[in-house]
Amino acid sequence: MRKFIIDTDTGSDDAAAIIIAALNRNIDLLGVTTVAGNVSVEQATKNALMTLEVCEADAPVYIGAGCPLLSERKETISVHGADGMGDCGIINPKRSAQTKRAVDFILDTVSEYPDEVELVVLGPATNIALAVLTDRETMKKAKHIWSMGTPGFGPGNATPVAEFNVFIDAEAYAVMLESGIPITIAGFDLCTGKTGLGKKELAALAGGNKIGKFLERATSQLLQFKLNTRQTYMVDLPDALAMAAALWDGFVLDSVNCYCKCCTQRNETHGQVIFYRQDRTYEAVSDMYKANAEVITEVDENLFIEKLIQLMV
Ligand code: RIB
Ligand code: CA
């Protein structure tokens, strides 16, 4: 059975990703680690615990980094609401997090199951970078990283060139990219097509099972944000797309191998990831860099919506 760890700054799209994994009987969800990003690490931990509880899943939750590797925590607007989950009072978990720290859990688990553990990284990559910096050789035994990060080949959502997860901890993303662990990236550009939940899908969730109802409420502030800023009745779920890429056969239709370079300078490029596509020739780059990630370029949008809704109605 495939073995997974989810690393998450649990907002509502992380919750959708956790739901996909928690309801999948063909994988072993060994644990969930939390990190500051959408919300504080304490709030992310409560949100992860609550999401698992709604799914009746008992995966342990481990608290991770409360701030990026090299900077203070940046206070950003949470598009998912102040609690990251729609601000409608649905976060009252009964369970608590484990006392072991997230980084120790990640390292111990990779050590226990060499070449088997797949990490789905849905927030800033701080915990992963800390694990790599603590014990690089052990982390090389991680089987795969599925990352929601970068704008893909579209514009940024945190700045014109940077996607939120990478922008929040660019140094950590750079460490993760250079870790030598095989990485697949689901960028934010995958959200721009028909992978969002519209009126029909949100109504289906609202009338669905308890998990559907939970997710519909958790995404309500995100919907409000989209209505206010884009006049669009739509909720996008970038983290759920990364999870679908990891778990659902036939979902990823195309991808390209790239050398990905994360810009860490504190200027306008902070958090930008430059993709040197291996299927292109660059006139000023004579020695092509070796690919360090596979970047998804096309997914089956209909399959995503169908399978996601099926889980919750
Ligand atoms: O840019 C989208 C990403 O930032 C998602 O992971 C979302 O949850 C936030 O963390
Ligand atoms: Ca996230």
Side-chain angles (χ1 to χ4, degrees):
M1 211 181 248
R2 289 170 71 191
K3 300 186 188 327
F4 281 87
I5 295 175
I6 302 175
D7 188 61
T8 165
D9 61 334
T10 321
S12 62
D13 66 319
D14 300 70
I18 293 172
I19 290 168
I20 292 173
L23 297 183
N24 189 318
R25 299 286 161 238
N26 300 319
I27 65 163
D28 198 355
L29 180 55
L30 299 170
V32 173
T33 54
T34 57
V35 65
N38 283 317
V39 287
S40 70
V41 71
E42 293 78 16
Q43 185 66 51
T45 304
K46 283 188 198 158
N47 296 349
L49 285 162
M50 192 68 219
T51 305
L52 289 164
E53 191 173 314
V54 172
C55 297
E56 295 173 25
D58 58 4
V61 176
Y62 300 85
I63 303 171
C67 65
L69 276 188
L70 298 182
S71 55
E72 297 289 307
R73 176 158 184 252
K74 299 177 184 73
E75 283 294 338
T76 51
I77 329 161
S78 170
V79 298
H80 308 266
D83 72 358
M85 297 287 280
D87 294 336
C88 37
I90 55 174
I91 304 302
N92 321 287
K94 292 194 191 80
R95 271 201 294 144
S96 306
Q98 307 294 305
T99 48
K100 189 187 254 195
R101 302 299 301 179
V103 173
D104 295 330
F105 168 71
I106 292 170
L107 283 167
D108 289 352
T109 309
V110 171
S111 222
E112 189 178 349
Y113 303 107
D115 306 317
E116 282 197 77
V117 178
E118 299 176 58
L119 296 143
V120 187
V121 182
L122 306 175
T126 321
N127 291 333
I128 310 306
L130 284 168
V132 170
L133 295 172
T134 305
D135 188 344
R136 195 173 287 274
E137 288 313 306
T138 294
M139 282 306 279
K140 281 195 181 142
K141 296 180 193 145
K143 183 176 179 189
H144 204 93
I145 289 176
W146 303 88
S147 157
M148 192 290 120
T150 86
F153 297 101
N157 60 351
T159 75
V161 296
E163 178 277 331
F164 180 85
N165 288 338
V166 183
F167 178 77
I168 293 294
D169 199 345
E171 283 86 4
Y173 207 79
V175 170
M176 186 173 86
L177 283 173
E178 301 300 337
S179 66
I181 306 167
I183 301 178
T184 299
I185 293 176
F188 198 77
D189 58 341
L190 300 179
C191 294
T192 50
K194 289 182 275 165
T195 53
L197 303 182
K199 240 182 204 155
K200 187 168 135 226
E201 292 79 23
L202 289 167
L205 292 185
N209 63 24
K210 67 172 177 179
I211 308 171
K213 289 186 169 59
F214 174 78
L215 187 62
E216 191 269 338
R217 297 185 76 192
T219 55
S220 56
Q221 287 295 325
L222 183 56
L223 174 63
Q224 209 47 56
F225 175 79
K226 295 282 172 190
L227 284 168
N228 294 343
T229 57
R230 312 242 171 92
Q231 293 73 50
T232 318
Y233 201 104
M234 194 272 280
V235 156
D236 50 30
L237 302 170
D239 291 341
L241 295 172
M243 188 61 80
L247 294 183
W248 291 347
D249 288 342
F251 172 62
V252 175
L253 298 178
D254 211 353
S255 63
V256 58
N257 287 322
C258 295
Y259 171 65
C260 308
K261 170 80 186 167
C262 182
C263 302
T264 54
Q265 284 187 315
R266 305 222 167 250
N267 59 22
E268 286 83 352
T269 66
H270 190 75
Q272 179 175 16
V273 176
I274 296 171
F275 299 113
Y276 292 83
R277 295 175 63 127
Q278 308 284 296
D279 60 348
R280 297 270 163 90
T281 304
Y282 299 101
E283 290 174 26
V285 182
S286 48
D287 277 336
M288 191 56 166
Y289 306 102
K290 196 165 164 278
N292 56 4
E294 175 195 16
V295 183
I296 299 172
T297 52
E298 196 186 344
V299 292
D300 187 334
E301 299 173 330
N302 295 329
L303 179 142
F304 176 74
I305 295 292
E306 271 166 33
K307 284 193 78 134
L308 186 73
I309 299 298
Q310 256 171 31
L311 287 176
M312 290 176 263
V313 295

